[in-house]
Amino acid sequence: MAQSSFKRKIIGAGARALNAIPVVRPQDLATRGIGTVRIQSSQHLLGTNTRFHQDIHPRDVISISKTVNAEVLRVLSDTELELKSPFGEEALELMDKDLPFKVTPHIDQSILYEKVHDRLADSGCIVIFPEGGSHDRSEMLPLKAGFAIMALGAMAAKENLSVKIVPVGLNYFHPHRFRSRAVISYGAPISIDSKLVDQYKQGGAAKRDAIAALLETGYDGLKSVTVNAPSYDTLLIIAAARRLYRPVDEHKLRIDQVVELNRRFLLGYKHFEKDPRLVELADKVKAYNNTLKYFGLRDHQVERTSIAPSTAAGVLLKRVFLLLLLSLVGFPALLVNYPILLLASVISAKKQKEALAGSSVKIAARDVLATWKVLVALVVAPTLYTLQSGLVFAYAFHSLHLSLKTSFFYFTLAWTVQPALQYASVRLIENGLELYRSLPPLVMALNNPNGADHLRTMRTQLSDHITQFVNQHGPSVLEDFDSHKFDLLEPKEKRASWRHRGLFELNLGPEVLQGWFDDKSLFTFNAQSDESEEDESTE
């Protein structure tokens, strides 16, 4: 964990309790340089009012923009630097300009590596995120060499030590949404060849080659457990094609099977990327996605537009009435919890802007946004419970003139009840949102039945084309391809559009209330949301 995180009271205490090893990250020590620099040539910088001898050292990294940076080879004078490698083409646009700069120091991580070696030699395990930070891109970042250096260094330092590297993939469904799902996938353990260890011991070019080889092996291992699309648009095409593939459309898959299918579809997409047939099919999928977006529908809702207009009108009125009723019931709960929502939104938005300003890899910094919402809620929620319970105590003790013991009992009772009430309000809000999302198919069936019929036909034809293409070409990409792989799975339930299995159609008996607190309900949306959750998955 980053050394900077160890300095925070709550996070640092948790990190120490988990025996985390602090890592000094160079980016945490970056500073703004004094003066300005000008690009003299691709490998030389000239400074104005700079003090390079005092502020910069060889192997430090100098940055003149988010994407233009280079490692310093030599400090020639207080106003001249020689770079290790030339700037890229982006730097040409900055020629002959006086620019502010930032210096990121080189960090000697030898102490860190010694701690890691000792942990591994003691039969311990190390969890490391080799990308070097969180991000919200659709594919992995280039891996840092740290894990390869740690593994090879430990085996070189400790005789007869065998280090195994286990790739772990984190795949998210709607990562920016509260209580959405994540799938953790484990790959086959990677054994380190003793020849690589011998190369590492030799040092120099042989050492670099050994690190590069293990780095590539680790990257391939992570690709086997994650979904890596070159762009978000490609990921949308892959997810849509997977949903429309007929064996998937007709059977209920586990969420880990959905992730694996996304990965396999992506392999096929990359293999046939330039094939005119796939290009045409991808264009059709894009057109289908754009049509869904135009009508405000999700893929799983298309079949639910088959309801007759007369029936749709009655169901629509009923659901609008239930939605208004739910709004009246949920408004007091929303009002009570508004301070939590407000502070979480304001603070997380601020941290999101800071993360975007300081990162060259984040797109929208949704990872930071979600993290800080959770952190703020963990602090603000208990504080709010205490304040509101304190008001109950004050009212009981001063206004009702109850004894101190009785007043404290009401304080404890109020504090205990509030988390349960908040959870109930969250479930009410979720049911309300689910009810709201069920309205578009009814509106379309009522106002545009011909458009709904055309959309269903479009989906059926596209599903046939995708299924035919996959079954025909799948064996040439995947050795274990089997078009009948999912035949024995439970058929997907085809619920009619007018059936809404929500709060208002539940018999709130003990078995239902108990279901609210099982693992799936506590940390994910309810069962009906499974289909919508599969509509879009991202790494």
Side-chain angles (χ1 to χ4, degrees), residues 131-331:
E131 292 176 281
S134 62
H135 62 91
D136 50 356
R137 291 181 174 270
S138 58
E139 62 180 340
M140 288 191 299
L141 299 176
L143 303 187
K144 305 294 184 182
F147 81 92
I149 297 174
M150 291 175 184
L152 291 171
M155 292 182 66
K158 311 290 182 181
E159 293 293 334
N160 301 320
L161 177 64
S162 178
V163 176
K164 304 291 184 182
I165 300 175
V166 181
V168 181
L170 302 178
N171 299 275
Y172 300 96
F173 287 72
H174 305 297
H176 57 290
R177 293 185 184 174
F178 180 57
R179 298 200 324 127
S180 56
R181 296 187 186 186
V183 175
I184 302 177
S185 304
Y186 296 90
I190 299 172
S191 298
I192 300 175
D193 194 333
S194 59
K195 294 180 181 179
L196 292 180
V197 181
D198 293 337
Q199 283 183 261
Y200 183 87
K201 291 179 179 179
Q202 294 173 23
K207 178 179 179 179
R208 290 193 294 271
D209 290 342
I211 294 172
L214 186 56
L215 198 62
E216 183 177 356
T217 302
Y219 187 80
D220 291 338
L222 284 175
K223 285 200 300 184
S224 70
V225 291
T226 55
V227 179
N228 288 274
S231 67
Y232 187 69
D233 289 338
T234 301
L235 189 59
L236 291 179
I237 293 174
I238 295 300
R242 183 260 305 161
R243 292 192 306 269
L244 292 167
Y245 182 50
R246 195 161 300 283
V248 176
D249 188 39
E250 295 175 350
H251 296 87
K252 188 173 183 180
L253 273 63
R254 300 190 310 270
I255 195 167
D256 59 304
Q257 292 174 321
V258 171
V259 172
E260 176 63 15
L261 263 180
N262 281 342
R263 192 185 67 81
R264 286 172 168 256
F265 266 74
L266 188 59
L267 290 175
Y269 181 88
K270 290 180 177 179
H271 185 82
F272 292 101
E273 190 172 6
K274 301 296 178 61
D275 191 310
R277 295 167 297 178
L278 181 61
V279 173
E280 180 183 1
L281 194 58
D283 288 339
K284 291 180 179 179
V285 174
K286 288 181 183 177
Y288 175 69
N289 281 341
N290 289 334
T291 305
L292 290 178
K293 186 177 181 180
Y294 175 79
F295 288 114
L297 297 178
R298 294 292 184 91
D299 177 67
H300 72 278
Q301 295 178 317
V302 173
E303 292 300 323
R304 300 178 185 179
T305 62
S306 59
I307 183 175
S310 57
T311 306
V315 177
L316 182 61
L317 289 174
K318 177 185 175 182
R319 292 193 179 180
V320 170
F321 172 76
L322 291 176
L323 192 59
L324 291 174
L325 181 62
L326 186 58
S327 299
L328 293 175
V329 174
F331 181 75

Side-chain angles (χ1 to χ4, degrees), residues 24 86 121 128 133 143 153 156-157 170 177 236 318 321 336 343 370 375 407 432 439-440 444-445 479 510 519:
V24 179
I128 184 171
L143 303 187
L170 302 178
R177 293 185 184 174
L236 291 179
K318 177 185 175 182
F321 172 76
V336 170
L343 286 174
L375 291 176
S407 300
L439 300 182
M444 187 173 186
E479 295 181 357
D519 182 67

Side-chain angles (χ1 to χ4, degrees), residues 120 161 311 424 437 494 533-534:
L120 294 175
L161 177 64
T311 306
R437 296 189 188 110
K494 298 291 185 179
E533 198 164 273
E534 290 179 10

